[in-house]
Amino acid sequence: MDLPAPTPASAPAPGIDRRALLVLTATAALLRPTRAAASTADTTSATVTAAGQELTALAANPSFVFATDLAGTAGSGEAAPVDSAYWLGTYEVTNAQYLEFLTADGRDAPSYWDAGAYPAGKADHPVLEISLDSATAYCAWLDGRSDNDGWSFRLPTEAEWENAARGPDGLTYPWGDRSGTTYADSVLTCVYNYMAVCAAYELAEHGAELATYTDSSSDLYGQSFPIDEILSIGATGTVAGWNVTASRTGFVYTDVYDAITDAGGWTTPVGAYPGGASADGVLDLCGNCWEWTTSVITATHGGETGRQVNAIRGGSWYANLNSCTAVYRGEGRDATGRYPTVGFRVAATRT
């Protein structure tokens, strides 16, 4: 997607909530997907719609082997046969779809919703803060819908997820072996939503505005700096100043970032990046939100390192370039946790 060149920064008009502006602009012209970098993948595979879910057909792959082991060592992945054909959600489950479930089920809404309603303008963004248990319950609810027509829903295994993302040619990304991401003259070009999309917007539209460090354990707590002194983007889309863990500095420890997460993160509408389609036509397998799988691993990355948790795959709006690939492994989350970067997509079989 292309972002416009920076314009002179200005404060929001009196009475306008900047948090609301973040939600609205994330779906407007500033976040247009680029078609110039569209995937050459064949996206004509079979799709069906059942219980309100668009599903894409995936072939069995009895010889499937993970591209890496959990530590990320290329060529060391274990065999994990995908013995049966299956269907995968073409898109991640959205806020609007999840609201239907909550209305019927009565469980708690994500914290970024207000009084049981998702943020305005985010109906077709992926739902976040969904525990594995709630995602599993959502699948069971789909099984009982009157428009189910004989389908059985569940969450995918990690092998099924990677098999779909790498495609028959075993690619590094769903669309090829290179990310194709560039940043030049203040314009970001990419085919998936990761941290640079948010960073590029902030630099283009609010670069001169102040961000204040709000984390009391930050070395810079209470201090304010222009956003363009905190964040920068390299020519290949790498982001500096997003998160400096040791000193708890960087953009993610500021009030501007707090407003973004309070509004449900810097997600984009599902399917907004057609250039990121897989060989079978599945969208957003990389970026936008991490996706639950049913596979249990020992996490080797992130806050859950060393724990037995469920694998999540694909990266998110918060994640860096390295995490947003078809082959990145080792991330996991506690099944009961509700995380601001984790959502899900369904898998299904015809009964």
Side-chain angles (χ1 to χ4, degrees):
M1 83 178 2
D2 293 337
L3 287 170
T7 56
S10 60
I16 298 296
D17 184 353
R18 188 173 189 275
R19 185 181 306 169
L21 289 176
L22 290 170
V23 173
L24 295 174
T25 54
T27 60
L30 289 172
L31 289 175
R32 296 187 302 272
T34 179
R35 293 184 181 271
S39 171
T40 57
D42 173 15
T43 58
T44 61
S45 298
T47 60
V48 299
T49 298
Q53 301 288 314
E54 182 177 312
L55 304 170
T56 296
L58 278 302
N61 187 357
S63 61
F64 176 81
V65 177
F66 285 108
T68 77
D69 60 14
L70 292 177
T73 306
S76 298
E78 68 273 25
V82 179
D83 290 323
S84 301
Y86 59 105
W87 298 74
L88 196 63
T90 307
Y91 309 104
E92 296 151 337
V93 173
T94 67
N95 285 304
Q97 290 173 324
Y98 198 73
L99 177 58
E100 293 184 73
F101 165 62
L102 289 188
T103 301
D105 184 83
R107 66 185 60 210
D108 293 338
S111 68
Y112 65 92
W113 291 25
D114 184 16
Y118 51 77
K122 287 204 167 186
D124 56 354
H125 289 227
V127 66
L128 305 175
E129 295 187 11
I130 304 304
S131 68
L132 179 76
D133 300 336
S134 291
T136 301
Y138 179 86
C139 293
W141 173 73
L142 292 178
D143 284 348
R145 281 178 52 143
S146 60
D147 56 352
N148 175 280
D149 196 27
W151 288 85
S152 176
F153 288 88
R154 56 183 175 80
L155 297 176
T157 67
E158 189 185 14
E160 288 174 331
W161 189 98
E162 185 171 311
N163 178 61
R166 290 171 61 199
D169 295 326
L171 301 172
T172 303
Y173 301 90
W175 56 87
D177 281 323
R178 295 190 176 188
S179 72
T181 303
T182 63
Y183 184 71
D185 298 324
S186 300
V187 175
L188 177 70
T189 301
C190 62
V191 293
Y192 57 108
N193 178 18
Y194 73 111
M195 65 167 63
V197 175
C198 177
Y201 169 80
E202 290 295 338
L203 290 170
E205 294 299 305
H206 303 288
E209 295 179 20
L210 295 178
T212 302
Y213 285 94
T214 56
D215 190 313
S216 60
S217 60
S218 170
D219 289 355
L220 299 175
Y221 175 62
Q223 299 183 50
S224 302
F225 300 88
I227 291 173
D228 59 14
E229 291 184 13
I230 298 173
L231 285 172
S232 63
I233 305 175
T236 60
T238 56
V239 179
W242 184 261
N243 182 5
V244 184
T245 306
S247 59
R248 300 186 77 79
T249 58
F251 181 69
V252 303
Y253 298 102
T254 69
D255 59 343
V256 176
Y257 175 81
D258 292 344
I260 292 170
T261 54
D262 287 349
W266 199 262
T267 53
T268 44
V270 299
Y273 291 85
S278 73
D280 294 288
V282 182
L283 278 300
D284 297 313
L285 282 164
C286 289
N288 220 10
C289 73
W290 289 102
E291 300 175 13
W292 284 112
T293 77
T294 58
S295 300
V296 176
I297 63 168
T298 301
T300 58
H301 305 291
E304 285 76 14
T305 298
R307 294 173 52 194
Q308 290 288 108
V309 288
N310 280 79
I312 56 171
R313 296 299 299 265
S316 73
W317 65 271
Y318 176 98
N320 61 26
L321 283 168
N322 294 334
S323 299
C324 296
T325 73
V327 300
Y328 181 78
R329 299 184 70 196
E331 289 273 5
R333 298 291 185 271
D334 186 278
T336 62
R338 294 161 61 109
Y339 303 91
T341 59
V342 180
F344 68 106
R345 79 175 70 223
V346 301
T349 53
R350 192 70 181 269
T351 57

